[in-house]
Amino acid sequence: MGDYIFNGVLYLIAIGFLIFSFVKDKKKTKMALKKAWKAFENLLPMLLGIIIVVGIIIAILNPQMIAKLIGKNSGFLGVLILAVIGAVALIPGFIAFPTAALLLNAGAGYMQIGAFISTLMMVGVITIPLEITYFGKKVTIIRNILAFAFSFLVAFVIGKVVG
Amino acid sequence: MKIFKRYLFFIIALVLLGIVFIFNVSMGIKAVSTLTYSLKEMAMVLPPIFILLGLLDVWISKEKMMKYVGEGSGIKGIIIVFIIGSVAAGPLYAAFPVAAVLMKKGAKFSNVLIFIGAWSTTKIPMFLFEMSSMGAKFAITRLLIDIPGIIIIAYAIYFMISKKERERIYRLDAKNPDTI
C-alpha cells in the first residue's frame, strides 16, 4: 500500500544521495556509512528484545478479546482500556489500521478507537528504556504522559466528529 | 561481558518466548509470526533511514543545521522539522537516533521534540494508509488535532525542563560515541 511506495521512495532518495555523496567525496561517504552502521548497531540489541516482547503481547491480546471490552457503549472505561493497550503495544501501522477497522466492524466505538490509534502512535511504554538512552528519564516520562493525556482529547474530538 | 550486558534484554525476551511456547504452542507460533513481520518491517525500513542519517551527519555542518532549525530559527525551523518528520517512514524508535544527530548538530530542543511528534503521528505514508482503512473523516480529523497538539506538547516539555537538564541531554547524545 502507501507505505510500500514511500519505503521505495525512501530507498531511491537514500541511494541517490549516497551516489551523489560518493562522487563528491569517497572518504566522507565511507565515514557516513560507518556512522550509519554504528548507529544501527547501537539500536539493535534493545530493538530485537522489544520486537520479541511485542510479538508475545500481540499473541496474547487477540482482536476478539479486545472487541468484547470496548464496545460502542463502553464509554470512558472503553476509552481508557484502549488507550492503555495502545500505549503499551507497539504494533506496526500496517497491522494497526486494519485491526482498528476490524474492531470498528466488530462494534467498537469511534471514540475508543481514536484513543487506541493515538496512544499507539504517540506513546511507547515498551520503548521507554530506549527513549531514555537518547532523551534522559525526565523528558521521556513527561513526553509519554503528555502524549497519553492528549490522546483523550483526540478521542473525544474524533468521537464527536466521526462517531 | 559488555556485549552480554547489551544483549541481556534480548536474551530475557528470548527466554520469555520460550516460556510462552512451553505453555501454549499455538500462542508461541502466533508470537513468532508477528515478530517475523516486525523484523521484516525493520529490515525494510531501517537501511535507508540510517544511510540518510550517516550522510546527514557527515555533510550538514553544525552551522547550517543551527541556521535552519537551531535557536532563533523560528517558524521556519518548526516547518522544516515537521516536514522531515512527516516524510519519514518507520516506527518511532527509528526516530531516536535521527533526533540524536539533530541535537548533536545544534537543533533547538523544541524542534527536536516537534520532529519526534511529527514522526510519531503525522507521517504521510501512514496518513494515506489511515485514510484507506479508517476513512477520510477519521484520518483528517486526527491530523488536524495532532498538528497543534504536537507543537503544544513539544513546547510544554521544553518549558518544563531546566536548561541544565537540556544541556545534559545534548551532552548525552554528543558524548556517547555509540549514538553516533
Side-chain angles (χ1 to χ4, degrees):
Chain A
M1 290 295 294
D3 248 40
Y4 283 109
I5 297 165
F6 267 85
N7 197 19
V9 171
L10 201 63
Y11 268 94
L12 285 181
I13 293 171
I15 292 168
F17 273 118
L18 193 63
I19 291 171
F20 184 69
S21 168
F22 189 76
V23 170
K24 272 195 112 177
D25 192 329
K26 276 184 199 167
K27 221 171 152 190
K28 259 187 168 175
T29 309
K30 229 177 162 179
M31 209 159 84
L33 287 176
K34 238 186 210 162
K35 284 182 178 227
W37 175 250
K38 224 174 178 183
F40 175 69
E41 213 194 354
N42 183 54
L43 183 75
L44 194 64
M46 202 173 264
L47 198 56
L48 288 174
I50 289 168
I51 284 173
I52 294 174
V53 171
V54 170
I56 295 171
I57 290 174
I58 293 178
I60 295 171
L61 295 171
N62 55 4
Q64 295 92 309
M65 194 173 122
I66 297 172
K68 242 190 234 167
L69 295 167
I70 43 108
K72 244 179 215 149
N73 301 317
S74 58
F76 181 74
L77 189 68
V79 171
L80 186 67
I81 291 171
L82 268 191
V84 170
I85 293 174
V88 174
L90 196 127
I91 311 169
F94 317 88
I95 299 179
F97 288 123
T99 306
L102 214 83
L103 288 173
L104 280 174
N105 283 335
Y110 272 102
M111 193 159 73
Q112 287 78 3
I113 293 298
F116 172 66
I117 294 287
S118 190
T119 57
L120 185 66
M121 300 199 142
M122 299 184 97
V123 185
V125 172
I126 295 181
T127 49
I128 278 179
L130 188 68
E131 194 172 341
I132 285 175
T133 62
Y134 290 97
F135 282 100
K137 244 182 222 155
K138 202 168 170 196
V139 169
T140 300
I141 289 166
I142 295 174
R143 193 194 73 76
N144 279 283
I145 289 174
L146 287 181
F148 188 78
F150 175 67
S151 297
F152 285 87
L153 177 72
V154 174
F156 179 76
V157 176
I158 283 181
K160 280 274 173 259
V161 175
V162 188
Chain B
M1 226 24 230
K2 207 183 156 203
I3 288 178
F4 178 77
K5 212 176 152 194
R6 282 186 64 207
Y7 280 85
L8 184 66
F9 177 55
F10 173 59
I11 293 164
I12 293 171
L14 270 183
V15 171
L16 255 161
L17 185 63
I19 293 170
V20 170
F21 259 103
I22 292 166
F23 279 96
N24 190 333
V25 177
S26 72
M27 203 176 261
I29 290 169
K30 218 179 136 197
V32 169
S33 83
T34 309
L35 76 89
T36 316
Y37 190 95
S38 304
L39 279 178
K40 267 190 209 148
E41 190 201 25
M42 185 184 107
M44 268 186 59
V45 163
L46 292 187
I49 293 174
F50 278 88
I51 287 173
L52 287 173
L53 179 158
L55 290 173
L56 180 84
D57 195 34
V58 172
W59 284 105
I60 308 288
S61 68
K62 195 165 179 172
E63 291 71 37
K64 260 193 202 132
M65 183 75 89
M66 279 173 83
K67 191 179 144 208
Y68 290 120
V69 295
E71 299 284 342
S73 59
I75 292 177
K76 192 186 72 198
I78 294 177
I79 293 171
I80 290 173
V81 284
F82 236 116
I83 292 171
I84 304 176
S86 298
V87 296
L92 186 58
Y93 56 70
F96 299 145
V98 182
V101 176
L102 292 180
M103 281 189 265
K104 186 188 148 196
K105 295 276 179 184
K108 194 180 174 193
F109 194 53
S110 58
N111 284 343
V112 175
L113 292 166
I114 290 171
F115 163 78
I116 289 287
W119 186 304
S120 75
T121 52
T122 60
K123 279 196 303 262
I124 295 166
M126 225 31 126
F127 177 72
L128 296 176
F129 194 55
E130 183 176 356
M131 286 251 268
S132 69
S133 51
M134 307 296 292
K137 214 173 170 188
F138 186 98
I140 292 169
T141 306
R142 212 174 64 79
L143 181 71
L144 289 181
I145 325 166
D146 274 342
I147 292 173
I150 287 164
I151 296 173
I152 291 166
I153 289 176
Y155 275 95
I157 299 170
Y158 183 76
F159 287 117
M160 270 158 102
I161 64 157
S162 62
K163 196 172 170 227
K164 223 174 116 192
E165 168 76 6
R166 206 166 68 222
E167 279 164 359
R168 197 186 68 80
I169 294 166
Y170 273 62
R171 272 202 307 276
L172 191 81
D173 287 294
K175 214 168 63 185
N176 185 355
D178 287 343
T179 52
I180 261 207

